[in-house]
Amino acid sequence: MKKILTLVLVSVLGGIITLSAYKLFLEQDNSALASTTNNNEQVSFLPTNNTVTSAYNISNIPDFVDAAEKTVHAVVHVKNTTIVKGPTSFEDLFYGRNSQRAQVGTGSGVIISPDGYIITNNHVINGANQISITSNDNKIYDAKLIGSDEKTDIALLKIDTDEELPFVTFGDSDQAKIGEWVLAVGNPFNLTSTVTAGIISAKSRDLTGQNHQSFIQTDAAVNPGNSGGALVNANGDLVGINTAISSQTGSYIGYSFAVPSNIARKVVEDIMEYGDVQNGILGVTGGSLNSKYAEELGVATTEGFYVNSVEEDSGADLAGIQSGDVIKKLDDIKISKFSDLKGYLSTKRPDDVVNVTLLRDNDTKIVPVTLIRNQTLQLPIIGLVKNAKEKDLRKLDAQNGVKISSLDKTYERFWKKNGIEEGSIVTAINDKSVNSIDEVKHALENKSSNDPLKFEIINKNGKKESFYWK
């Protein structure tokens, strides 16, 4: 018995010694290894966020059901029938047939009021002899063109109906954010209303490269027939009118573009109230900055609109904006390039006041500017004309007229050969005296397309001459 107790005691002591040795040596080595590993993880040359994000968190997935339901019944199919003159065949001559043909184009439109006002693209209805609308519940209406604007590619239609129509409310496109989810709703390939989803990829895009446009870019799928359809946010509010795609095939390849809703809304409101678009002019010329251009100019910023010149008597001129200033903001809208400036001004009218934040000699100034009406007009054959001042008229002993601001490059040699140059005064168009560019515009609008143009112009020597153009 004594031997057994001794054996058990020795076994227990051996176990204690073995366990102590393991704790002392092996765990110490592992701890050192773990410490070394942790130290390596803390050393980083790049900013790192190790937060685990659940890709399957249902609260992060946008729900477009309500937005689609609010929009799909307010988007319509637009059918444009145009009568075109085709080539006359021998059979047409022999049988006395008319060579005119009906050409049909289609697109989309968005109902924006319960009484039947519809917004679409100008290119969808351009040249139409007849416009018909098909609603999402297959009702067909004849539509009347109220007005259109080629520059923004926006047109306003109206249908007459006794029932109250579903419509989409305008959202604030200035508040739309890059990365925000949007829906494109339209009638691609003559299908009924179709919904696609994507995000806003960019804002203030100019597709022409001539600073004429300021589009919202999205990756929501848009195809032929979607033009004039709705781009809405997750609330179902209209943030754009789908207008164009970037494609070498004519079908969607990942990029689509929409007229911002703030521009579209302003255009249709102008058409409804004034009959045409009222443009507020700031009165500056210049270009966008980058690091190379800023270095050449000696400017301490690489973003903004650099003012090269200021139009005389414009809002900018009267407010004291100078050549060399850099425009950084219009109201609360950041200006990084000209399309930002163009896009925001396209939402404004003459006599609106815009607070211009500008950089001058490294100092920031905020200048209130009252926008003016457009003081220039492109006159066919001649070039750019503007309202003449008293001193301009006195200089050439003219009683009335508009001043030639710049000559059309195509016809410049002809005009200069006949003594007509910048500063000459156009006194009449088709025997009607003109005193302003508004009267010039009216004279051109009332001229038949087949009528010749007749100009009376006082040349640089003060002599009045007449020119006919067929």
Side-chain angles (χ1 to χ4, degrees), residues 323-393:
S323 174
D325 289 344
V326 178
I327 296 176
K328 302 289 289 182
K329 280 185 179 181
L330 295 181
D331 292 332
D332 294 326
I333 303 300
K334 181 181 177 182
I335 305 300
S336 298
K337 50 190 180 298
F338 183 77
S339 53
D340 293 326
L341 184 108
K342 172 69 174 175
Y344 189 67
L345 290 177
S346 294
T347 67
K348 299 298 177 181
R349 298 183 177 90
D351 300 325
D352 284 350
V353 177
V354 176
N355 289 314
V356 180
T357 302
L358 53 86
L359 190 67
R360 180 185 298 167
D361 299 327
N362 295 327
D363 290 330
T364 300
K365 303 170 70 72
I366 299 178
V367 180
V369 177
T370 301
L371 304 180
I372 64 170
R373 294 184 178 277
N374 189 8
Q375 294 181 319
T376 61
L377 179 72
Q378 189 70 34
L379 187 57
I381 314 301
I382 291 179
L384 206 62
V385 296
K386 63 188 301 184
N387 291 331
K389 298 180 180 180
E390 283 297 326
K391 64 179 182 179
D392 299 322
L393 298 176

Side-chain angles (χ1 to χ4, degrees), residues 217-278:
Q217 179 182 327
T218 174
D219 65 354
V222 169
N223 279 293
N226 269 110
S227 290
L231 186 73
V232 300
N233 59 22
N235 296 322
D237 299 323
L238 191 68
V239 293
I241 298 297
N242 297 315
T243 299
I245 58 177
S246 178
S247 173
Q248 295 178 340
T249 64
S251 296
Y252 175 75
I253 59 169
Y255 301 102
S256 56
F257 302 89
V259 177
S261 61
N262 287 1
I263 295 177
R265 185 182 71 245
K266 188 261 182 183
V267 169
V268 298
E269 287 176 347
D270 281 356
I271 291 172
M272 295 168 98
E273 185 172 354
Y274 305 104
D276 59 10
V277 179
Q278 307 290 299

Side-chain angles (χ1 to χ4, degrees), residues 80 82 121-129 131 145 148 150 153 155:
N80 161 9
T82 306
N121 284 141
N122 177 67
H123 76 261
V124 170
I125 52 80
N126 190 34
N129 296 98
I131 302 171
L145 176 63
S148 63
E150 185 178 357
D153 202 8

Side-chain angles (χ1 to χ4, degrees), residues 181-220:
W181 282 96
V182 285
L183 292 181
V185 186
N187 295 270
F189 306 115
N190 289 333
L191 300 171
T192 54
S193 292
T194 300
V195 179
T196 56
I199 63 168
I200 294 176
S201 306
K203 296 176 68 176
S204 300
R205 286 292 198 218
D206 175 26
L207 301 184
T208 67
Q210 299 176 355
N211 299 319
H212 289 167
Q213 300 164 324
S214 185
F215 285 127
I216 293 174
Q217 179 182 327
T218 174
D219 65 354

Side-chain angles (χ1 to χ4, degrees), residues 410-431:
T410 304
Y411 302 98
E412 184 175 15
R413 180 178 296 181
F414 167 81
W415 291 119
K416 289 190 173 181
K417 182 180 178 181
N418 285 275
I420 308 300
E421 57 184 18
E422 286 85 354
S424 294
I425 302 294
V426 179
T427 60
I429 298 175
N430 288 357
D431 297 322

Side-chain angles (χ1 to χ4, degrees), residues 47-61:
T48 304
N49 184 357
N50 292 320
T51 303
V52 177
T53 302
S54 173
Y56 300 99
N57 186 350
I58 195 166
S59 65
N60 293 332
I61 301 174

Side-chain angles (χ1 to χ4, degrees), residues 134-203:
T134 304
S135 62
N136 198 45
D137 57 357
N138 296 320
K139 294 180 180 178
I140 300 175
Y141 307 87
D142 288 329
K144 178 173 67 175
L145 176 63
I146 303 300
S148 63
D149 180 53
E150 185 178 357
K151 289 184 178 178
T152 55
D153 202 8
I154 292 296
L156 181 65
L157 310 176
K158 178 72 166 64
I159 59 175
D160 293 325
T161 176
D162 294 331
E163 60 183 311
E164 193 168 280
L165 298 172
F167 65 96
V168 177
T169 56
F170 281 92
D172 185 353
S173 55
D174 287 339
Q175 298 303 315
K177 305 297 183 185
I178 295 173
E180 180 180 343
W181 282 96
V182 285
L183 292 181
V185 186
N187 295 270
F189 306 115
N190 289 333
L191 300 171
T192 54
S193 292
T194 300
V195 179
T196 56
I199 63 168
I200 294 176
S201 306
K203 296 176 68 176

